[in-house]
Amino acid sequence: MKNQWIEFYRGLVTVKASGKGIERFINALTRSGINIWNVKNHGTQSVTFKMKVEDAKKIRSHARNSDCRIEFLQRAGAPFLMKRLLKNSGFAAGALAFFAVILLLSNMVWGIEIKGANPATEYQIIKELDKMGVKKGKLQFFADNVESIQRTLSNNIEAITWVGVELKGTTYHLQVVEKNEPEKPEYLSPRHLVAKKKAVIVEMFVEEGRPVVDIHDHVQPGQLLVSGIIGKEGQTETVPSKGEVFGETWYKSEVILPLKSTFKVFSGNEKVKHAITIGNLEIPIWGFGKPEFEEYELEENEKAVKFLKWKLPVSYVNKTFREREQVTRIYSNKEAFEAAKDLARKKIKSSLDENAKVKGEKVLHQSIDNGKVTIAIHFQIIENIAEGQPIIQGDSE
Amino acid sequence: MAKTWGQFVRGWMTKNMELPQDVMMDLPRITMIGQIHIYIENHRGLLAFSDKELRLLLKQGQLLIRGKAFVIKTILPEEILLEGKIDSVTYITDTD
């Protein structure tokens, strides 16, 4: 018996033959090597049979010779199935396109919600986000990750102290804490202003209260500068004294700095690799080969492809290899002293208020031993030395 | 005369040399499976076909198969496989 599947694969037709010479027709077909099967009789003078599609053209002449009328009834098999499939391929394409669109839309940024910022800051944040590729309608793959958005925002925008970035589905939620929130009016209890440290008064701005010291006065820590008790004797009144008293103070700063130091820096060379991971399998898209750096730091950024609310096991990975170099810095003696002085200045400034000024400095002592520079500097600083001290009722009078 | 001589030689050869008759003498080889299948080799063509009757041309005479619901499952120049309910298989020879 023949294998019906091969016939099915090539395609087959059902033929109806009617007329007087059916038997002759069948004999002619078989003799000329045309395969037919499933010959069935249907009433008088008519049969149906199946045959290959390829042979369908050949039977016409045989039919004419043997006085038969033929009719093709049904076509079956893979070629016709394919044809139908092709005709209906629109459905499949539509379904595919539907999933593709859902997939695409699931990975887009659909909203940015900023909470806790005033309109001006919000505008600034939106502009900054825009630069990072976080914008409505952009793909999340090309946006920075949440941590770096958070870092960049808090670095680049002065007006905010802290920003929390969270990606929920397709929406970025930003929680902003602004630096200059409207100042709360100070409700101060009656107080004096006293000196914080030993100083010589240089300047005084007293808004409220009665100053008890004068410029060029030498004050000790805890000494009363501005009294909160005003008015004539007998009818005194306590007020929260307010003001700034600038005094010249003295600091001594000592810095030890090695002449030779090694540290690691990035050389600026980097190599970026893009890949798609499916499960554990990684398929590189762009950036091949190993980085030729001896020492490098690897930053890996992985973004899962989302479908609606689910995360697929497919993700886009972006790897950045940054070359690291070891640098040895050797100071000459002179340079070392300069650097040590700089360091001392920075150290002093970081420990002082913003409105403090360095008036003068004097190197007390400098030396080099064991490859280290030791320097001691005396600084003259002008700063606010006033400090509030509440007036406790009862013991003031 | 020549034909009968040839037939005589073939008959003698098959008898004495143990060769299968269907090969030597161009006789049909008929295989039947119960009543439902009949497989005929060495036929010489279809003479008549309906769902109750199949008439085949043989080298000598004809073969008439009667029954019900006949379907030719396969037909090749010298072979035929018939399916249906077979009631009778009859040889028709003109010489009788």
Side-chain angles (χ1 to χ4, degrees):
Chain A
M1 273 294 291
K2 295 183 303 289
N3 188 349
Q4 299 286 312
W5 280 105
I6 292 169
E7 260 74 56
F8 181 81
Y9 188 69
R10 312 288 299 269
L12 46 93
V13 281
T14 308
V15 185
K16 184 181 178 187
S18 50
K20 278 192 173 172
I22 297 166
E23 288 84 10
R24 231 181 313 145
F25 174 51
I26 294 173
N27 285 336
L29 290 184
T30 54
R31 278 185 200 130
S32 57
I34 297 169
N35 262 333
I36 62 172
W37 63 93
N38 267 11
V39 185
K40 276 183 207 165
N41 197 299
H42 290 273
T44 49
Q45 310 283 329
S46 96
V47 291
T48 59
F49 56 86
K50 289 184 179 177
M51 67 188 299
K52 289 188 207 161
V53 165
E54 299 141 62
D55 296 335
K57 280 176 192 156
K58 297 184 208 160
I59 69 167
R60 291 228 175 251
S61 60
H62 293 297
R64 222 172 292 128
N65 293 340
S66 41
D67 204 13
C68 264
R69 274 185 50 231
I70 51 167
E71 223 180 302
F72 294 101
L73 291 182
Q74 196 187 39
R75 298 182 292 185
F80 304 109
L81 215 65
M82 282 302 290
K83 223 178 254 175
R84 234 195 16 241
L85 215 67
L86 215 69
K87 215 167 87 186
N88 297 340
S89 64
F91 291 103
L96 217 72
F98 168 76
F99 281 107
V101 165
I102 292 269
L103 202 72
L104 197 75
L105 296 186
S106 303
N107 289 294
M108 263 186 183
V109 179
W110 275 113
I112 299 164
E113 264 179 42
I114 301 171
K115 274 183 205 157
N118 65 30
T121 323
E122 199 175 314
Y123 175 72
Q124 231 181 337
I125 290 171
I126 286 170
K127 250 171 73 180
E128 201 65 42
L129 286 175
D130 223 35
K131 274 190 222 159
M132 282 182 276
V134 180
K135 199 183 175 185
K136 261 186 206 171
K138 285 220 175 164
L139 285 179
Q140 286 173 10
F141 304 123
F142 304 116
D144 292 349
N145 63 3
V146 169
E147 286 85 31
S148 84
I149 289 173
Q150 203 163 321
R151 205 177 326 121
T152 323
L153 278 184
S154 37
N155 286 350
N156 291 8
I157 299 171
E158 290 283 303
I160 57 178
T161 6
W162 180 83
V163 60
V165 183
E166 198 181 4
L167 178 63
K168 267 189 197 160
T170 54
T171 311
Y172 280 94
H173 293 267
L174 277 83
Q175 185 73 46
V176 179
V177 177
E178 276 189 81
K179 241 174 220 166
N180 10 352
E181 278 182 59
E183 266 178 52
K184 287 175 198 149
E186 277 180 85
Y187 295 108
L188 293 171
S189 55
R191 63 172 193 177
H192 298 301
L193 288 181
V194 297
K196 240 191 302 200
K197 44 185 83 137
K198 196 170 91 174
V200 171
I201 310 253
V202 178
E203 242 175 338
M204 285 175 84
F205 303 105
V206 179
E207 282 176 56
E208 208 160 13
R210 181 168 51 86
V212 291
V213 285
D214 224 332
I215 289 172
H216 304 309
D217 278 3
H218 190 275
V219 293
Q220 294 296 326
Q223 191 181 333
L224 188 68
L225 301 175
V226 180
S227 170
I229 302 164
I230 55 171
K232 282 176 197 161
E233 219 164 314
Q235 27 181 235
T236 54
E237 196 184 346
T238 54
V239 291
S241 51
K242 221 160 126 193
E244 282 175 328
V245 179
F246 289 98
E248 192 184 311
T249 53
W250 306 277
Y251 288 87
K252 195 179 149 191
S253 171
E254 208 175 82
V255 171
I256 296 167
L257 188 73
L259 284 175
K260 188 176 159 186
S261 53
T262 57
F263 43 92
K264 282 171 182 164
V265 291
F266 289 120
S267 68
N269 294 332
E270 57 177 41
K271 187 181 170 82
V272 185
K273 276 188 178 185
H274 303 273
I276 282 179
T277 57
I278 301 165
N280 287 329
L281 184 76
E282 190 174 310
I283 304 159
I285 305 170
W286 191 249
F288 303 98
K290 286 201 167 170
E292 301 109 18
F293 313 138
E294 273 181 29
E295 232 181 306
Y296 58 81
E297 207 152 273
L298 174 64
E299 190 188 309
E300 210 172 309
N301 214 335
E302 188 170 340
K303 286 206 175 78
V305 176
K306 281 182 270 186
F307 185 79
L308 296 179
K309 60 177 184 174
W310 303 285
K311 273 186 184 170
L312 299 184
V314 180
S315 56
Y316 164 79
V317 179
N318 184 342
K319 283 183 188 168
T320 309
F321 298 87
R322 290 201 177 83
E323 192 182 15
R324 227 171 23 192
E325 273 177 352
Q326 211 160 47
V327 172
T328 308
R329 186 183 62 188
I330 301 168
Y331 282 131
S332 70
N333 291 356
K334 206 177 160 194
E335 279 170 347
F337 285 129
E338 277 310 308
K341 270 187 209 168
D342 258 3
L343 207 64
R345 267 177 225 131
K346 274 181 197 149
K347 222 165 122 188
I348 281 291
K349 273 202 180 133
S350 69
S351 68
L352 293 174
D353 275 357
E354 274 174 55
N355 49 8
K357 278 182 288 192
V358 178
K359 194 188 169 198
E361 61 181 52
K362 208 166 100 190
V363 178
L364 296 178
H365 133 93
Q366 59 186 43
S367 64
I368 297 175
D369 49 3
N370 294 335
K372 278 180 188 165
V373 166
T374 310
I375 194 165
I377 302 179
H378 183 261
F379 286 100
Q380 284 169 282
I381 307 289
I382 293 175
E383 63 174 328
N384 186 13
I385 56 164
E387 192 182 35
Q389 188 188 59
I391 300 170
I392 296 145
Q393 294 291 333
D395 83 4
S396 61
E397 265 169 87
Chain B
M1 191 64 198
K3 197 182 174 189
T4 48
W5 173 244
Q7 272 179 348
F8 170 76
V9 172
R10 277 185 202 150
W12 182 87
M13 275 170 79
T14 45
K15 220 185 257 171
N16 293 289
M17 293 168 82
E18 288 179 14
L19 288 167
Q21 275 96 339
D22 61 324
V23 177
M24 290 308 296
M25 300 174 81
D26 266 341
L27 295 170
R29 186 190 188 100
I30 302 170
T31 314
M32 273 182 84
I33 300 166
Q35 262 185 303
I36 54 166
H37 273 169
I38 183 162
Y39 185 61
I40 303 144
E41 289 165 80
N42 260 337
H43 73 86
R44 287 286 174 273
L46 210 58
L47 283 178
F49 171 65
S50 74
D51 57 347
K52 290 189 186 68
E53 189 186 81
L54 176 76
R55 199 188 280 257
L56 286 171
L57 183 67
L58 300 176
K59 199 178 180 207
Q60 282 173 321
Q62 296 173 7
L63 188 69
L64 179 67
I65 301 156
R66 284 177 185 278
K68 284 185 203 89
F70 281 174
V71 172
I72 300 172
K73 282 314 242 184
T74 315
I75 179 160
L76 294 168
E78 296 198 325
E79 290 164 41
I80 185 167
L81 175 65
L82 185 74
E83 200 184 81
K85 189 169 182 284
I86 297 146
D87 290 337
S88 68
V89 181
T90 321
Y91 281 94
I92 303 167
T93 37
D94 347 292
T95 45
D96 284 349

